[in-house]
Amino acid sequence: MQGSIYTAFSDMIIEQMGMEQWNELIEKTDPPSQGIYTSGEQYLDSELINMVQALSVKTGIDAETLVEKFGRYLFKKLYDTSPVDISKIDNLKSFLLAIDGLIHVEVQRLHPKAYLPTFEYETVDENTLIMYYSSKRKLCHASVGLIYGAAEQFNEIITIEHPECIHQGATRCKLVINFKGHNE
Ligand SMILES: [Zn+2]
């Protein structure tokens, strides 16, 4: 996984739980990188997965919830460092539709070794968009958190349903996003 994901993860733990907790996580999971990350490098997926599991044991919060929280946190970091000028996108739906064909294409061009999830889209009606998530990493809960993070960025209210999931045997995850208007 891309190092920028790891630097965001360590930032989140240090900001929200403190340096001591981060050091404890590194000690417990003993990652090959020893927790030293550079944003452009690639690291083993297992490092993140092991840390999430250790955090889950420590906090009693299930791993899916932790991954979703991380997705929300990660959004701001990714948005601020987008390689594509997305400043003109002024609503959540246009942003979500730009992820697969525009933003990820550029990320891939800049980081050819990066493995990115793919999204397919289906528009149900004006207020409902379906995003199908596929990835060998099965981090659909991070995507859910990222989409909620994006909604916050655009000051929009949404709900997300997740009726089909790779963790329950589906070949891809179905995320049904309902747009409920703006936050005042
Ligand atoms: Zn899923």
Side-chain angles (χ1 to χ4, degrees):
M1 225 177 298
Q2 194 74 16
S4 50
I5 307 294
Y6 285 88
T7 54
F9 187 76
S10 71
D11 287 351
M12 180 183 78
I13 302 299
I14 293 165
E15 265 173 42
Q16 298 182 357
M17 303 176 81
M19 196 62 182
E20 216 169 290
Q21 179 60 57
W22 175 248
N23 289 334
E24 194 185 309
L25 258 189
I26 297 303
E27 209 171 293
K28 253 190 214 157
T29 60
D30 194 23
S33 72
Q34 289 304 306
I36 314 291
Y37 300 114
T38 310
S39 60
E41 292 290 314
Q42 296 291 316
Y43 300 92
L44 294 176
D45 291 2
S46 56
E47 291 205 20
L48 187 75
I49 290 154
N50 293 342
M51 286 193 274
V52 167
Q53 268 159 3
L55 261 186
S56 176
V57 170
K58 165 110 186 172
T59 60
I61 302 169
D62 62 90
E64 289 177 357
T65 305
L66 289 172
V67 169
E68 185 180 320
K69 275 179 195 289
F70 174 53
R72 275 191 193 234
Y73 180 89
L74 180 62
F75 175 78
K76 189 84 186 108
K77 304 258 175 185
L78 294 183
Y79 185 82
D80 288 345
T81 57
S82 168
V84 181
D85 179 14
I86 44 179
S87 61
K88 285 185 187 67
I89 299 180
D90 64 355
N91 69 88
L92 178 63
K93 197 192 284 173
S94 303
F95 174 78
L96 295 176
L97 289 169
I99 293 171
D100 200 75
L102 189 69
I103 301 170
H104 278 182
V105 170
E106 186 60 11
V107 171
Q108 193 76 72
R109 196 182 67 76
L110 293 169
H111 305 286
K113 281 195 218 149
Y115 172 88
L116 298 165
T118 54
F119 290 101
E120 287 161 274
Y121 303 93
E122 196 179 305
T123 302
V124 178
D125 57 44
E126 204 187 320
N127 297 315
T128 315
L129 176 70
I130 298 175
M131 290 173 76
Y132 291 99
Y133 165 94
S134 311
S135 168
K136 64 173 182 184
R137 295 206 171 105
K138 303 184 178 179
L139 286 171
C140 51
H141 298 95
S143 287
V144 169
L146 282 160
I147 297 167
Y148 278 123
E152 224 164 89
Q153 174 73 32
F154 292 99
N155 216 16
E156 292 188 36
I157 303 160
I158 54 162
T159 57
I160 303 175
E161 285 165 79
H162 194 162
E164 293 165 23
C165 184
I166 23 187
H167 294 283
Q168 277 138 31
T171 49
R172 56 185 188 170
C173 295
K174 183 177 184 178
L175 305 176
V176 184
I177 300 138
N178 268 290
F179 300 89
K180 310 258 183 202
H182 278 84
N183 254 321
E184 286 319 315

